[in-house]
Amino acid sequence: MKVKVGISNRHVHLSKEDFDSLFKNEEFYSIKDLSQKGEFMSNLKVTIKTPKGMIEGVRVVGPLRSKTQVEISKTDAYKLGVEAPIRLSGNLDGAADIMLSSPNGELMAKSSCIVAKRHLHVNTSDLDKFGIKDNQVLKAIIPGDRGGSLDNIIVRSKDTFTLELHLDTDEANAFNLKNGDEVEIIGE
Amino acid sequence: MKVKVGISNRHVHLSKEDFDSLFKNEEFYSIKDLSQKGEFMSNLKVTIKTPKGMIEGVRVVGPLRSKTQVEISKTDAYKLGVEAPIRLSGNLDGAADIMLSSPNGELMAKSSCIVAKRHLHVNTSDLDKFGIKDNQVLKAIIPGDRGGSLDNIIVRSKDTFTLELHLDTDEANAFNLKNGDEVEIIGE
């Protein structure tokens, strides 16, 4: 099967409590809908900070979630000197602590910071069509001068999902991939 | 065959003319020998700049070369907004212009900036042992949770080279590789 690539730049999901602490009384709205239904790039940005460094202008992705989750690349993790584990979104086991700041405030987001594990979003109604299952492990074949393959791609299915391979900027740049490029997915 | 990975962070090789323009009368010495014989991490750093951004603290790698060459990652290229092509070191066909600055001066390094193409350094005396040829195209198999493979690895041989797979930081981070990690090399 051929799928489009969606590249995740570093971003932050906020809990209601952390949102209120950083952005109390601020408007929070979508400036661009993301490919996964209901998810949006918001108007707000934070700075992420460690004792070693900081990265400004990190986008807050909406809607609010039950837990704050900060997704960065390994390149960012080295720059910030933070031991962020590679985890599927939503799994914050062993996630790193990281400081978030806005013009209104600052907070330590405990156990929030991960490097996102690559995964394939599949709408539940498409699983049978492709003969795959939720949580199945697949492989992507990437063409081109910087081609190769990526193992351990986990299928994540929901009835709101759109078919898309989610990679982070390190993975995309290593293979010279751009948003919307097509790659082939095969069984492992 | 199993080989060790050497990860190249962004760095600059300078011509004598550009060195003199940036560092006239400065001492230039090795603070650490690199794995390839004769190459060293020097005591000097430059800032690389474009109208969109800058990256400070970019290491000058010695010795001086006939042409200035600035090697960055795709992640850096996006940050700087520079169209740096993927090229083997030494091939500056279509290389981008980029500004270099030091406390002593600043210059536009014309046709100098590339993203390094992955390659395998092999000592000439080892080619027969491994049954490979200079310029042959190989593939690396990378184990682990972020495993996969990298195609189009070009063999580069010289009698001063030490066996090592050279990747940039995007490639290393995409596969969660560290300096000195071992990977397997096979024919394509």
Side-chain angles (χ1 to χ4, degrees):
Chain A
M1 70 202 262
K2 293 265 186 186
V3 303
K4 287 197 172 166
V5 171
I7 302 166
S8 298
N9 201 350
R10 63 182 81 90
H11 64 276
V12 173
H13 303 276
L14 292 175
S15 67
K16 175 77 169 69
E17 185 186 353
D18 289 347
F19 179 89
D20 285 345
S21 161
L22 293 166
F23 295 112
K24 198 163 181 63
N25 302 324
E26 289 260 10
E27 276 195 277
F28 180 55
Y29 53 86
S30 169
I31 58 167
K32 190 183 167 196
D33 285 346
L34 297 176
S35 56
Q36 300 307 316
K37 198 173 167 185
E39 298 277 305
F40 58 89
M41 184 187 287
S42 84
N43 57 313
L44 299 174
K45 293 176 185 176
V46 295
T47 295
I48 59 178
K49 281 189 199 178
T50 64
K52 190 176 170 192
M54 68 162 79
I55 300 177
E56 296 176 290
V58 179
R59 189 66 64 175
V60 179
V61 166
L64 299 178
R65 290 199 178 179
S66 59
K67 283 185 183 170
T68 290
Q69 177 171 299
V70 179
E71 296 178 45
I72 62 175
S73 68
K74 282 293 281 186
T75 296
D76 295 337
Y78 282 115
K79 178 175 177 179
L80 296 171
V82 63
E83 299 261 346
I86 296 162
R87 293 282 183 271
L88 278 177
S89 177
N91 175 1
L92 297 175
D93 274 5
D97 301 343
I98 200 158
M99 187 77 83
L100 303 182
S101 82
S102 73
N104 310 318
E106 137 170 329
L107 62 88
M108 177 61 84
K110 291 269 186 193
S111 301
S112 67
C113 184
I114 62 171
V115 174
K117 189 174 166 76
R118 50 218 192 197
H119 54 276
L120 180 70
H121 282 254
V122 184
N123 191 285
T124 314
S125 69
D126 285 338
L127 288 171
D128 282 351
K129 184 168 99 189
F130 298 121
I132 57 178
K133 294 199 166 106
D134 195 22
N135 296 315
Q136 189 172 342
V137 181
L138 301 172
K139 184 184 185 99
I141 306 293
I142 296 142
D145 201 35
R146 268 198 155 187
S149 66
L150 289 166
D151 297 340
N152 294 330
I153 292 167
I154 314 293
V155 174
R156 307 200 77 185
S157 72
K158 269 195 189 174
D159 57 12
T160 54
F161 281 176
T162 302
L163 186 67
E164 197 173 53
L165 174 63
H166 278 206
L167 301 179
D168 73 7
T169 49
D170 288 338
E171 293 166 324
N173 290 336
F175 288 95
N176 206 18
L177 287 166
K178 287 173 191 61
N179 247 322
D181 281 356
E182 279 204 339
V183 303
E184 199 184 342
I185 300 283
I186 60 171
E188 279 229 310
Chain B
M1 69 202 264
K2 293 263 187 187
V3 303
K4 286 197 172 167
V5 171
I7 303 166
S8 298
N9 201 350
R10 62 181 82 91
H11 64 275
V12 173
H13 303 276
L14 292 176
S15 67
K16 175 77 169 70
E17 185 187 354
D18 289 348
F19 179 88
D20 287 344
S21 161
L22 292 167
F23 295 112
K24 198 162 180 65
N25 302 324
E26 290 259 12
E27 276 195 276
F28 180 56
Y29 54 86
S30 169
I31 57 165
K32 190 183 168 195
D33 285 347
L34 297 175
S35 55
Q36 302 306 315
K37 199 174 167 185
E39 299 276 307
F40 59 90
M41 185 186 285
S42 84
N43 57 312
L44 300 174
K45 293 175 183 177
V46 295
T47 295
I48 59 178
K49 280 188 199 180
T50 63
K52 190 175 169 192
M54 68 161 80
I55 299 177
E56 296 176 290
V58 179
R59 188 67 62 175
V60 179
V61 166
L64 299 178
R65 291 198 178 180
S66 59
K67 282 185 184 172
T68 291
Q69 178 171 300
V70 179
E71 295 178 46
I72 63 174
S73 68
K74 282 294 280 187
T75 296
D76 295 337
Y78 282 116
K79 179 175 176 178
L80 296 171
V82 62
E83 298 262 347
I86 296 163
R87 293 281 183 271
L88 277 176
S89 177
N91 174 2
L92 297 176
D93 274 5
D97 302 342
I98 200 157
M99 188 77 83
L100 302 181
S101 82
S102 73
N104 310 318
E106 142 168 326
L107 62 88
M108 178 60 84
K110 289 270 187 193
S111 302
S112 67
C113 185
I114 61 171
V115 174
K117 190 175 166 75
R118 51 219 190 196
H119 54 276
L120 180 69
H121 282 254
V122 184
N123 190 285
T124 314
S125 69
D126 286 338
L127 289 172
D128 283 353
K129 184 167 99 190
F130 298 121
I132 55 177
K133 294 199 166 108
D134 195 24
N135 296 314
Q136 190 173 341
V137 181
L138 300 172
K139 182 183 185 102
I141 306 293
I142 297 142
D145 200 36
R146 267 197 156 188
S149 66
L150 289 166
D151 298 340
N152 295 329
I153 292 168
I154 314 294
V155 174
R156 307 201 76 185
S157 72
K158 270 196 188 173
D159 56 12
T160 54
F161 281 176
T162 302
L163 186 67
E164 197 173 54
L165 174 63
H166 277 207
L167 301 179
D168 73 7
T169 49
D170 288 339
E171 292 165 325
N173 290 336
F175 288 96
N176 206 16
L177 287 166
K178 287 172 193 60
N179 248 321
D181 281 355
E182 280 204 337
V183 304
E184 198 185 343
I185 300 284
I186 60 171
E188 279 229 312

